[in-house]
């Protein structure tokens, strides 16, 4: 079967734009954002950059290396968490829902959905500004004054969501050794096994993505001199990890006949968030504000004018957006590389990239990559007539776990690595650079870019067991700069703070926090007006000591 990406009209574009406009209404209300930076899907679009609490940063999907017949999904949110970012640190949003979506039949619609919603348990009230008032040795320690719990629900084949777990404790932000002397113990308590063999975890972790972000300075300084620094070293993220048996996500529950799945994350907010309680985040009028499948797509593939719309769109509409398809078939990065480094850009249309990002790698699509690897078209029971090219992270569950993984994944001859799913240690920046300059077509590494960004591994070792991510960092990112050993790191992320408590279990919603902030601003303006009136009064009576040319200072 030959797949073409001819758009079926332009209906998908107005819908996406309309959704983006809806996000703009609510997104404009958020004023809490981290420092300017970008990575995988860290702050990749204008609107989501203003709402880090629901900003999906990375998605990983891989066969569990220590548990045959199981697949692990690791999804991260809330980028650039500086370990010293107190007193509120980095909670999940309580008025949002976080989703992992799985498509097993290739129609670009989710066949399995997993939904997390969070609530606060805040005992601080007006007694303290601290997250804890003594060492925390367990998740139910009375010294832990602020914590979160979550509910996990699942839906299969369009059926209603079913609750799988409730009031599960979140591993809190890692305050430091005095507050949490054995953080690994907290991690273990937050890792829970459910009926059916599921394992779940939610909490803070080291950001597993590694790369040098100087790519944005005209691709590493114009001469590859700006490489070798892991920009994300020392930063943390909020992680949701889920491990389920193949049968729960494979088409017809048969991972042997139908081993290929497609995965993406979404985050949804209430359409309007101004003030007051938002109620149950699973109900009401919600809008999708974040979407993530393959790494770096929204950053370096999707153009600036479509980034917000992409975050609001669904995979089954991708093939109907000609501007998006053209960014894959005629990518920008190879042209930049050719202009800067004189490395010839492969001829277009880039149907090899169509396979990597939109269809999965398969001979059934008549593409240039002669292999059957990770397209749902390879599933025995799939209906080819319903297949839709779409952007998602695709994984073949039947590929054996590699005893000696290669960081370059498929490009390096390791079929279990990216773009066949994504393992934590896959060097996706170097892989995608090689793919963009044609390595997937030729089967050969482009020597001129063999070093890539010169960041080949994460600064912290990953674990051998679920949830596999490294423990969160507890040392300031700019510690070296403070000690005089080098420049300070960029400003850290500061997502929406934990809601102030009214001594109830859930505490205030984020919307109510905005009301408190608004009241504080109003009070501050009132003080400024009073100060201005008082200074003018003093000036009129001659009761001042500064000269006419000296500005009066107000605080």
């Amino acid at each position: 079967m030959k797949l073409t990406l001819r758009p079926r009209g332009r209906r998908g574009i107005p819908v996406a734009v309309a959704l983006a406009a809806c996000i703009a209404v609510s997104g404009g209300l958020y004023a809490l954002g981290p420092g300017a930076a970008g990575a995988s899907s860290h702050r990749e679009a204008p609107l989501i950059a203003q709402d880090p609490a629901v900003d999906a940063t990375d998605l990983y999907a891989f066969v569990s290396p220590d548990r045959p017949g199981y697949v692990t999904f690791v999804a991260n949110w809330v980028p650039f968490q500086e370990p010293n970012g107190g007193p509120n640190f980095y909670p999940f949003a309580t008025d949002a829902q976080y989703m992992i979506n799985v498509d097993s039949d290739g129609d670009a619609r989710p066949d399995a959905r997993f939904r997390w919603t969070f609530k606060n348990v805040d005992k601080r009230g007006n007694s303290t500004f601290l997250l804890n008032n003594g060492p925390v040795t367990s998740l139910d320690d009375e010294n832990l004054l602020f914590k979160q719990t979550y509910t996990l629900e699942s839906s299969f084949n369009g059926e209603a969501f079913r609750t799988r777990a409730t009031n599960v404790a979140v591993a809190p932000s890692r305050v430091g050794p005095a507050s949490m002397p054995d953080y690994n113990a907290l991690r273990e308590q937050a890792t829970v096994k459910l009926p059916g063999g599921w394992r779940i975890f939610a909490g803070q972790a080291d950001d597993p993505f590694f790369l040098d972000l100087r790519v944005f300075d005209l691709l590493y300084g114009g001469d590859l001199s700006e490489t070798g620094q892991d920009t994300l070293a020392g930063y943390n993220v909020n992680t949701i990890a889920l491990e389920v048996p193949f049968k729960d996500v494979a088409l017809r529950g048969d991972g042997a006949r139908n081993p290929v799945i497609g995965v993406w994350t979404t985050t949804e907010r209430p359409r309007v968030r101004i003030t007051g309680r938002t109620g149950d985040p699973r109900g009401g009028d919600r809008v999708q504000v974040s979407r993530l499948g393959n790494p770096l797509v929204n950053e370096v593939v999707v153009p600036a004018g479509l980034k917000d719309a992409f975050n609001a769109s669904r995979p089954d509409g991708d093939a109907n957006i000609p501007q998006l398809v053209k960014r894959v078939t005629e990518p920008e990065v190879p042209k930049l590389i050719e202009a800067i480094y004189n490395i010839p850009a492969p001829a277009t249309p880039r149907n090899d990239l169509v396979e990597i990002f939109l269809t999965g790698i398969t001979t059934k699509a008549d593409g240039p990559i002669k292999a059957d690897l990770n397209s749902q078209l390879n599933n025995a029971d799939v209906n080819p007539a319903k297949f839709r090219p779409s952007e998602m992270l695709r994984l073949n569950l039947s590929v054996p776990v590699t005893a000696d993984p290669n960081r370059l994944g498929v490009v390096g001859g390791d079929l279990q690595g990216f773009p066949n799913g994504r393992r934590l240690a896959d060097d996706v920046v170097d892989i995608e650079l090689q793919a963009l300059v044609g390595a997937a077509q030729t089967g050969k590494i482009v020597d001129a870019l063999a070093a890539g960004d010169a960041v080949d591994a994460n600064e912290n070792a990953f674990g051998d067991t679920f949830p596999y991510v490294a423990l969160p960092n507890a040392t300031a990112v700019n510690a070296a700069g403070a000690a005089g050993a080098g420049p300070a790191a960029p400003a850290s992320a500061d997502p929406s703070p934990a809601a102030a408590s009214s001594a109830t279990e859930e505490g205030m919603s984020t919307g109510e926090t905005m009301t408190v902030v608004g009241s504080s601003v109003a009070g501050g303006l009132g003080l400024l007006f009073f100060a201005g009136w008082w200074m003018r009064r003093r000036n009129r009576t001659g009761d001042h000591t500064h000269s006419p040319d000296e500005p009066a200072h107000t605080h």
Side-chain angles (χ1 to χ4, degrees), residues 82-84 233-235 474-490:
E82 215 287 341
N84 291 348
Y235 286 103
T475 302
V477 172
N478 63 349

Side-chain angles (χ1 to χ4, degrees), residues 333-335 337-339 341-347 350 436-438 446 448-449:
V333 172
K335 298 175 184 178
I337 292 175
E338 181 175 35
Y341 295 113
N342 296 319
I343 298 173
R350 294 294 304 276
L436 287 167
V437 294
V446 177
L449 294 176

Side-chain angles (χ1 to χ4, degrees), residues 152-169:
L152 168 62
E153 300 164 289
S154 63
S155 169
F156 298 101
N157 302 314
E159 297 177 350
F161 277 92
R162 169 192 170 194
T163 299
R164 305 301 296 249
T166 189
N167 291 323
V168 184

Side-chain angles (χ1 to χ4, degrees), residues 172-185:
S173 295
R174 190 175 187 179
V175 177
S179 293
M180 298 171 180
D182 185 1
Y183 191 87
N184 187 58

